[in-house]
């Protein structure tokens, strides 16, 4: 027993060495780190990430992918450290859980020569990433705001459900308010529904008892729109107001394509942007075409005319 | 401080007890008064119904939590458990609709699944705490993570939604009622009355208090400590199941964010209501008052722009701390 142990160790070591040399020199590893699927949008993000990795792994047999999901910034930093230390990644696609705490760790990875693609939430310091792929939060709010300004009459009463207090939420609301300026549409109340159905349901119930007249609701996210719609339905006030959510949940897109007057339009914030980021990163590694820079995906208005293009049957969101 | 000590020693025993008994009630009345002053719609039928119906989920769970805490235990898993049971119930109902078609049998089976799943989950918590001797705080912290992951996995990271036809059929369980009183309110009230009777007038309630007060003495008094403690967790699990039965028809969906922090709200309601966190004394009616206080704070903040919504949690926190400060004067002597 005692004698076999060193032999075993040597065997393992040599196999590992052989394994290393056997791998073609061109083999590259792409690390992907995204938030865990704890709400609808992040769920769809995971769905699109897995789908893209499966497709690309098949198309590029000599390429390896490491996909990790995390539920807090601290854990994400550890995941990134593990990726660099144990998998020796050549490129990193990361959706930072929070900008500030991840800026340092990602900067160190970029300094070591790894290609870095940052998705959606920007880092606190400019010039770290090679490629930036993101949705446009200002456009997300502005597109909805423009629809409100065009559709509603002067003096119309609007309530606004914000998301979790964050820069993303602040940018969206700023865009929305900028678009409303001068239209005479009044924001009667604004509060945080935290991108959550139950919170939005309670908030909407309370607003319905507080305001006798509400003409429209901007729910800023489809999960909240679901809660708001249920509360409006319960209060028997359907038909008095319309609700505009955001991000293109398939149930909402379905209502739009059926020309539901309560849900007339929606604003996109595509979770499939993770696919865009992974595809462009892999293309950058393999195709030798220039891929660095910023790639900003504008928010589009989903209307009954174009709703069909935004409906994904298999997506969980 | 010196006047308080003076009052304690010189005033008759009963009076001192009464002060702590009425404290939550006074807080509730103060909140109602503020609400009336803030908004004329506060006492409207719709607002009262909304607040009571939405309190029902946490309320039903908090009734069970009162027994667990009184017996010296704790359960941190109830929020995740509720999300998991809701997800499971929706999944089963959707599968059954495919094979049986929409109808009352599907609803009945869905309800049975929720209650059984709640019971099983409560039993697992209870048996591991009593027989395997794992600290309740640690064990339920573990199961909290397990159930939360399971519901995320079941929902594939997205949201589990009940089929449209079933949702319409099942809807009245949350939105309907008798004589204008919504079902969740009726169920909550009935369970609160049963809970109060069980706590005060049955051997089970007394055994819970005895175990929470002094486990060794309880054992020597031939109280079946392990069995009673197990029963409190099973009871809590079943109540989580009942809460889910009322919750699912509301939005017809469950996701990874369902029931987030419900465990802390339930525990807070129990403590605000005057039950001792270290066990040995519990009162169900106090828990009901605690639940109402917590949901009224949220309601009031939504009815006015007076306080920044960022401070909602801070105000709830102050109420919880005040409640515990008031409890300091009530010893475990009861």
């Amino acid at each position: 027993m005692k004698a076999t142990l060193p032999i075993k160790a040597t065997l393992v070591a040599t196999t590992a060495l052989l394994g290393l040399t056997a791998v073609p020199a061109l083999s590259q590893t792409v690390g992907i780190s995204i938030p865990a699927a704890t709400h609808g949008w992040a769920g769809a993000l995971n769905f699109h990430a897995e789908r893209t990795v499966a497709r690309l792994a098949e198309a590029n047999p000599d390429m390896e992918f490491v996909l990790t999901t995390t539920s807090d910034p601290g854990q994400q930093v550890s995941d990134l450290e593990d990726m660099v230390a144990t998998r020796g990644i050549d490129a990193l696609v990361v959706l930072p859980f929070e900008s500030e705490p991840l800026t340092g760790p990602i900067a160190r990875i970029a300094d070591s020569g790894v290609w870095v693609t940052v998705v959606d939430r920007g880092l606190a310091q400019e010039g770290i990433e090679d490629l930036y792929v993101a949705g446009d939060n200002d456009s997300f709010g502005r597109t909805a705001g423009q629809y409100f300004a065009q559709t509603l009459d002067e003096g119309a009463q609007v309530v606004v459900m914000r998301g979790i207090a964050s820069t993303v939420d602040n940018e969206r609301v700023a865009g929305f308010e900028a678009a409303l300026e001068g239209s005479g549409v009044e924001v009667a109340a604004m509060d945080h529904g935290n991108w959550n159905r139950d919170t939005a349901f309670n908030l909407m119930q309370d607003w319905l008892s507080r305001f006798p007249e509400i003409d429209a609701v901007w729910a800023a996210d489809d999960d909240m729109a679901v809660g708001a719609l249920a509360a409006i339905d319960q209060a028997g006030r359907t038909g008095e107001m319309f609700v505009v959510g955001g991000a293109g949940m398939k149930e909402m897109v379905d209502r739009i394509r059926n020309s539901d007057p309560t849900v007339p339009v929606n604003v996109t914030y595509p979770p499939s942007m993770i696919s865009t980021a992974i595809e462009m990163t892999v293309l950058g590694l393999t195709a030798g075409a220039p891929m660095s820079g910023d790639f900003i995906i504008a928010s589009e208005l989903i209307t009954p005319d174009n709703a069909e293009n935004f409906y994904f049957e298999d997506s969980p969101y | 401080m010196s006047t308080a000590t003076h009052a304690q020693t010189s005033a008759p025993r009963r009076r001192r007890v009464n002060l702590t008994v009425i404290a939550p009630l006074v807080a509730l009345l103060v909140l109602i008064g503020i609400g009336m002053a803030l908004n004329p719609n506060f006492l409207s039928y719709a607002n009262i119904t909304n607040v009571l119906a939405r309190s029902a989920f946490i309320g039903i769970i908090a009734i069970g939590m009162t027994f667990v805490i009184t017996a010296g235990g704790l359960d941190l898993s109830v929020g995740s458990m509720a999300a998991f049971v809701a997800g499971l119930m929706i999944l089963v109902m959707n599968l059954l609709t495919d094979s049986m078609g929409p109808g009352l049998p599907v609803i009945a089976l869905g309800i049975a699944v929720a209650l059984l799943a709640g019971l099983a989950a409560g039993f697992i918590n209870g048996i591991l705490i009593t027989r395997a001797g794992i600290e309740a705080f640690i064990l339920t912290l573990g199961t909290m993570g397990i159930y939360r992951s399971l519901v995320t996995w079941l929902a594939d990271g997205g949201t589990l939604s009940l089929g449209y036809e079933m949702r319409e059929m099942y809807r009245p369980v949350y939105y309907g009622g008798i004589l204008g009183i919504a079902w969740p309110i009726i169920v909550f009230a009935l369970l609160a009355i049963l809970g109060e009777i069980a706590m005060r007038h049955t051997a089970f309630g007394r055994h819970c208090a005895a175990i929470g007060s002094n486990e060794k003495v309880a054992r020597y008094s031939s109280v079946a400590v392990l069995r009673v403690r197990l029963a409190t967790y099973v009871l809590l699990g079943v109540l989580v199941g009942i809460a889910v039965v009322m919750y699912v028809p509301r939005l017809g969906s469950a996701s990874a964010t369902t029931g987030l922090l419900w465990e802390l709200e339930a525990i807070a309601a129990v403590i605000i209501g005057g039950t001792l966190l270290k066990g040995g004394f519990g009162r169900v009616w106090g828990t009901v008052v605690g639940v109402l206080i917590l949901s009224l704070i949220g309601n009031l903040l939504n009815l006015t722009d007076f306080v920044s919504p960022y401070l909602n949690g801070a105000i709830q926190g102050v109420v919880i701390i005040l409640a515990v400060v008031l409890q300091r004067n009530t010893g475990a002597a009861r």
Side-chain angles (χ1 to χ4, degrees):
Chain A
M1 197 58 200
K2 265 181 190 167
T4 53
L5 200 63
I7 298 170
K8 238 185 190 170
T10 330
L11 257 175
V12 170
T14 31
T15 341
L17 274 173
L18 277 173
L20 268 179
T21 48
V23 174
L26 279 173
S27 166
Q28 285 178 309
T29 308
V30 178
I32 301 156
S33 170
I34 54 177
T38 48
H39 64 276
W41 193 84
L45 187 84
N46 280 260
F47 165 79
H48 286 291
E50 279 169 32
R51 211 184 53 158
T52 311
V53 163
R55 200 185 72 73
L56 286 173
E58 206 172 307
N60 305 283
D62 58 345
M63 200 168 256
E64 276 191 68
F65 293 90
V66 190
L67 176 66
T68 63
T69 61
T70 46
S71 49
D72 70 86
Q75 200 196 335
Q76 192 170 28
V77 172
S78 315
D79 279 356
L80 294 181
E81 286 169 354
D82 289 349
M83 272 187 199
V84 173
T86 64
R87 304 295 298 260
I89 52 170
D90 302 285
L92 170 70
V93 178
V94 58
L95 202 164
F97 208 92
E98 271 174 38
S99 305
E100 294 286 343
L102 278 141
T103 299
I106 293 177
R108 275 195 293 281
I109 294 174
D111 284 344
S112 72
V114 171
W115 173 281
V116 172
T117 301
V118 170
V119 188
D120 200 33
R121 285 171 217 170
L123 297 176
Q125 213 178 318
E126 276 180 38
I128 293 171
E129 69 269 11
D130 298 283
L131 172 65
Y132 179 55
V133 177
D136 187 345
N137 285 306
D138 177 70
S139 154
F140 180 91
R142 204 174 284 268
T143 309
Q146 278 160 356
Y147 178 80
F148 277 61
Q150 282 159 15
T151 322
L152 293 166
D153 299 327
E154 205 160 302
Q157 300 290 311
V158 175
V159 290
V160 174
M161 275 182 199
R162 310 181 55 154
I164 293 171
S166 56
T167 49
V168 169
D169 181 59
N170 290 343
E171 283 173 26
R172 290 177 173 187
V173 173
F176 181 80
E177 285 179 323
L180 278 194
E181 229 160 77
S183 66
V185 174
E186 283 172 35
V187 175
M190 203 187 264
D191 207 337
H192 292 269
N194 298 341
W195 292 318
N196 179 293
R197 291 181 180 204
D198 290 310
T199 318
F201 178 83
N202 292 347
L203 192 58
M204 194 67 217
Q205 276 192 332
D206 291 345
W207 277 342
L208 287 166
S209 9
R210 182 170 155 198
F211 302 111
E213 192 210 330
I214 299 174
D215 298 297
V217 182
W218 184 45
D221 179 82
D222 286 335
D223 266 323
M224 291 196 287
V226 170
L229 286 166
I232 294 167
D233 193 23
Q234 180 212 10
R237 287 171 70 173
T238 313
E240 282 180 36
M241 65 198 82
F242 65 80
V243 178
V244 175
M249 177 190 283
K250 65 179 180 185
E251 284 85 0
M252 290 295 154
V253 178
D254 188 47
R255 288 178 80 150
I256 294 168
R257 67 177 179 180
N258 293 326
S259 300
D260 186 330
T262 312
V263 186
V265 295
N266 201 290
V267 180
T268 60
Y269 197 79
S272 52
M273 69 172 73
I274 190 70
S275 303
T276 315
I278 300 171
E279 297 263 7
M280 288 176 80
T281 305
V282 169
L283 217 55
L285 289 180
T286 56
M291 279 296 158
S292 53
D294 292 354
F295 190 87
I296 306 299
I297 301 164
S299 288
E300 292 174 64
L301 195 67
I302 305 177
T303 62
D305 297 328
N306 66 7
E308 209 56 52
N309 307 337
F310 296 98
Y311 190 80
F312 300 101
E313 187 60 54
D314 298 335
S315 169
Y317 184 62
Chain B
M1 189 61 213
S2 62
T3 46
T5 330
H6 181 72
Q8 263 183 33
T9 44
S10 64
R13 225 184 118 80
R14 270 191 65 206
R15 184 166 162 71
R16 178 168 57 108
V17 171
N18 274 345
L19 268 175
T20 59
V21 164
I22 60 167
L25 278 177
V26 170
L28 185 63
L29 288 175
V30 167
L31 281 175
I32 293 173
I34 295 173
M36 282 160 68
L38 279 177
N39 195 302
N41 280 334
F42 176 72
L43 283 184
S44 70
Y45 165 75
N47 195 49
I48 299 284
T49 305
N50 288 345
V51 172
L52 289 176
R54 80 173 67 143
S55 308
F57 315 127
I58 304 278
I60 291 169
I61 294 172
I63 292 169
M65 191 68 84
T66 313
F67 285 92
V68 169
I69 292 180
T70 302
L74 197 67
D75 193 337
L76 295 174
S77 69
V78 287
S80 306
M81 193 195 288
F84 171 65
V85 173
L88 196 66
M89 180 183 183
I90 290 171
L91 210 62
V92 170
M93 284 176 81
N94 282 345
L95 285 177
L96 289 174
T97 316
D98 289 342
S99 57
M100 297 165 60
L104 285 179
V106 177
I107 294 181
L109 284 171
I111 291 175
V113 165
L115 296 181
L116 282 176
L119 187 137
F123 183 78
I124 292 170
N125 274 347
I127 205 81
L128 287 173
I129 289 166
T130 54
R131 303 292 159 170
I134 306 168
E135 184 64 41
F137 184 89
I138 295 304
L139 181 91
T140 57
L141 191 65
T143 47
M144 171 170 92
I146 293 171
Y147 292 130
R148 184 65 62 198
S149 300
L150 283 178
V151 68
T152 312
W153 176 69
L154 280 185
D156 209 5
T159 304
L160 284 165
S161 292
L162 198 55
Y164 180 74
E165 280 171 282
M166 284 315 303
R167 209 183 307 176
E168 285 303 302
M169 204 174 287
Y170 191 16
R171 218 180 109 85
V173 174
Y174 182 80
Y175 294 100
I178 328 176
L179 302 171
I181 306 170
W183 283 118
I185 304 176
I186 296 170
V187 173
F188 179 28
L190 280 178
L191 288 172
I193 292 167
L194 287 177
E196 180 67 20
I197 292 171
M199 183 65 88
R200 282 200 181 205
H201 302 291
T202 65
F204 174 65
R206 278 158 214 223
H207 287 171
C208 284
I211 295 168
S213 187
N214 192 326
E215 196 180 323
K216 255 187 196 156
V217 173
R219 188 171 293 143
Y220 294 145
S221 319
S222 65
V223 170
V225 172
L226 295 184
R227 213 181 305 158
V228 170
R229 191 164 269 170
L230 172 63
T232 60
Y233 287 99
V234 173
L235 173 71
L236 178 55
V238 172
L239 288 171
V240 167
I242 295 175
V244 166
V245 167
M246 317 264 40
Y247 171 83
V248 168
R250 182 162 95 168
L251 296 174
S253 66
S255 70
T257 54
T258 300
L260 219 51
L261 296 184
W262 279 12
E263 60 281 342
L264 292 187
E265 272 193 58
I267 293 168
V270 170
I271 303 309
I272 292 172
T275 297
L276 294 178
L277 183 55
K278 56 179 185 264
F281 173 77
R283 55 181 186 215
V284 173
W285 71 263
T287 299
V288 174
V289 172
V291 169
L292 293 181
I293 288 176
L294 285 179
S295 48
L296 267 186
I297 294 172
N299 179 245
L300 289 176
L301 290 172
N302 290 341
L303 287 178
T304 168
D305 285 329
F306 194 60
V307 185
S308 163
Y310 294 124
L311 290 175
N312 192 339
I315 293 174
Q316 292 196 341
V318 168
V319 171
I320 294 167
I321 293 168
L322 278 180
V324 179
V325 169
L326 281 173
Q327 274 188 18
R328 236 182 7 186
N329 295 332
T330 58
R334 284 187 266 199

